[in-house]
Amino acid sequence: MRSHQLTDSDKWPELINLYQGHPTWLNIIASTIVELFDGSVSLFLSYSEDIFLGDLEPILESHLERLSDLEQQVISGFRKNQAIALSEQPTNPELSQSELWSAIQSLVRRGLLEKISEGERGMFQLHPIWQQYLKFKLS
């Protein structure tokens, strides 16, 4: 971030969290912030009702292309629901509970899903970057 001469260092943690701390993604977004917002992270974040993807789209697409059929089925379920609990039955009758759990674990490790706390149940949702990308892709 310093190398891109971004301002508003107090907002850097928010930006880092939003883009999952991914160095390549952050470099791409930092360049965008310099080009469009004169390096102001605060200004960039103030406009982001929708997360800006820009040059990240081809990278995100390549991640999706590498998913297994099982992972793609599970991601499809997350497109329809905001969050899914481990205790829920799979929406696809051909998918066992064990397969669902395996796919969720893999998708968390790949950074597509994140665990959210809701009471005592394990709940998972698409990471905001992926929510935005899939919303864009489906529109």
Side-chain angles (χ1 to χ4, degrees):
M1 307 270 206
R2 279 184 179 74
S3 66
H4 289 280
Q5 299 178 338
L6 297 182
T7 62
D8 313 311
S9 60
D10 60 316
K11 294 292 187 176
W12 292 0
E14 186 178 344
L15 186 69
I16 290 167
N17 185 50
L18 184 62
Y19 289 93
Q20 296 179 282
H22 195 290
T24 302
W25 297 3
L26 287 167
N27 278 325
I28 290 169
I29 292 305
S31 294
T32 299
I33 293 170
V34 169
E35 291 170 8
L36 299 178
F37 300 95
D38 294 323
S40 174
V41 174
S42 292
L43 188 58
F44 172 75
L45 291 173
S46 73
Y47 284 103
S48 61
E49 269 183 32
D50 290 331
I51 298 169
F52 182 74
L53 300 174
D55 294 335
L56 289 178
E57 291 174 23
I59 295 169
L60 297 175
E61 183 62 30
S62 71
H63 281 286
L64 287 181
E65 289 171 354
R66 291 191 302 261
L67 296 180
S68 70
D69 290 340
L70 176 63
E71 291 166 328
Q72 289 183 16
Q73 286 178 22
V74 171
I75 285 293
S76 177
F78 278 95
R79 287 179 187 162
K80 298 171 190 162
N81 301 315
Q82 289 291 67
I84 294 178
L86 285 180
S87 60
E88 290 181 29
Q89 292 297 319
T91 54
N92 181 341
E94 298 173 8
L95 196 63
S96 73
Q97 191 78 49
S98 175
E99 290 173 317
L100 174 66
W101 292 350
S102 176
I104 287 174
Q105 183 178 36
S106 176
L107 292 166
V108 167
R109 288 178 179 165
R110 290 175 180 256
L112 277 81
L113 298 181
E114 62 184 3
K115 188 173 183 180
I116 56 174
S117 297
E118 188 167 308
E120 296 181 25
R121 304 184 315 168
M123 298 284 292
F124 295 85
Q125 68 181 11
L126 283 169
H127 189 279
I129 291 286
W130 293 100
Q131 287 175 6
Q132 183 65 26
Y133 178 71
L134 292 171
K135 183 173 90 173
F136 168 78
K137 186 177 176 177
L138 297 175
S139 56

